[in-house]
Amino acid sequence: GEDVEQSLFLSVREGDSSVINCTYTDSSSTYLYWYKQEPGAGLQLLTYIFSNMDMKQDQRLTVLLNKKDKHLSLRIADTQTGDSAIYFCAERGAAGNKLTFGGGTRVLVKP
Amino acid sequence: NAGVTQTPKFQVLKTGQSMTLQCAQDMNHEYMSWYRQDPGMGLRLIHYSVGAGITDQGEVPNGYNVSRSTTEDFPLRLLSAAPSQTSVYFCASSERYSGNTIYFGEGSWLTVV
């Protein structure tokens, strides 16, 4: 089956930029997503990118997609303590609306 | 503006008991799915449905049943609960060709003892 990989942990100082990386194997991915999950809460869709784009910016968030290398990244500018959470990368294949998730990256923002 | 509603939010079961997790959406979405979330493993697809009367298996279907008798509802049944089914369960829905947005419920925390 398809696979999505993420690093487990990222520590960053408040005010710095965070970069979370994700790799995937499905060459027929249509959309790629970033979700945020705070402790005890559900999934919050942060942003998404269509597979024919290479960059998308939304306020403090920048998504970069390298389709050739199947590499996706999420940059959070001016990281705040409220950004501490688990971030999931997910890809949607061409066959339907099923998502394949990475294992999540726990981001800890230090004051 | 309910979106995707899951019940119950928390449940403790004994091994061998059965129960049903409810999922309802009020957006007339054709696609609905169930995921489970385990530590360090992200979310894994259990079962999904592309419309009323149609269901199919996902990545980890064993021990679970689903049905889709209406567009709105997609219940997940645990026939004989096992400790390995202790997890957080998420229901999701989307339009058939939704493009960008797949909506998730708030999650159901299930513990099997």
Side-chain angles (χ1 to χ4, degrees):
Chain A
E2 305 305 336
D3 196 25
V4 178
E5 299 282 343
Q6 297 177 241
S7 53
L8 286 177
F9 184 73
L10 175 68
S11 178
V12 63
R13 292 213 175 273
E14 190 175 13
D16 288 350
S17 293
S18 312
V19 178
I20 308 167
N21 294 302
C22 171
T23 58
Y24 60 98
T25 60
D26 186 1
S27 56
S28 64
S29 289
T30 54
Y31 285 90
L32 296 116
Y33 304 82
W34 284 103
Y35 287 89
K36 177 183 180 182
Q37 186 180 39
E38 297 184 58
L43 293 170
Q44 174 193 353
L45 176 65
L46 284 178
T47 187
Y48 65 93
I49 188 167
F50 188 47
S51 59
N52 69 353
M53 298 168 63
D54 53 18
M55 186 181 95
K56 180 177 180 181
Q57 187 151 4
D58 185 1
Q59 298 182 328
R60 292 191 297 123
L61 305 178
T62 303
V63 179
L64 295 178
L65 174 61
N66 182 329
K67 196 171 182 181
K68 175 177 168 289
D69 293 339
K70 299 189 185 66
H71 181 269
L72 181 75
S73 68
L74 174 69
R75 178 177 180 270
I76 306 173
D78 187 24
T79 311
Q80 304 297 307
T81 54
D83 294 325
S84 290
I86 301 177
Y87 291 80
F88 291 96
C89 164
E91 67 92 15
R92 176 182 155 198
N97 282 15
K98 295 179 285 181
L99 297 180
T100 302
F101 283 83
T105 300
R106 185 178 295 274
V107 174
L108 176 65
V109 182
K110 297 180 178 177
Chain B
N1 192 20
V4 180
T5 304
Q6 289 183 231
T7 56
K9 191 167 178 69
F10 300 100
Q11 182 73 50
V12 178
L13 280 181
K14 293 183 179 178
T15 298
Q17 285 185 316
S18 62
M19 78 158 296
T20 299
L21 298 176
Q22 304 289 346
C23 177
Q25 52 89 11
D26 60 358
M27 298 171 281
N28 202 33
H29 285 169
E30 291 185 78
Y31 277 80
M32 296 186 75
S33 49
W34 276 103
Y35 295 84
R36 61 177 286 174
Q37 182 183 21
D38 300 298
M41 298 186 74
L43 279 73
R44 292 181 293 167
L45 182 65
I46 305 171
H47 284 284
Y48 65 99
S49 168
V50 300
I54 307 169
T55 64
D56 206 346
Q57 295 181 350
E59 183 185 352
V60 287
N62 292 342
Y64 307 95
N65 274 0
V66 291
S67 59
R68 186 92 181 271
S69 55
T70 67
T71 299
E72 294 78 20
D73 300 297
F74 190 44
L76 178 72
R77 280 181 282 276
L78 282 72
L79 303 175
S80 177
S84 60
Q85 293 177 303
T86 294
S87 190
V88 184
Y89 292 84
F90 288 97
C91 179
S93 78
S94 63
E95 294 175 352
R96 184 169 187 174
Y97 300 111
S98 69
N100 55 354
T101 306
I102 297 176
Y103 295 85
F104 281 86
E106 291 289 305
S108 296
W109 274 252
L110 176 67
T111 301
V112 182
V113 298

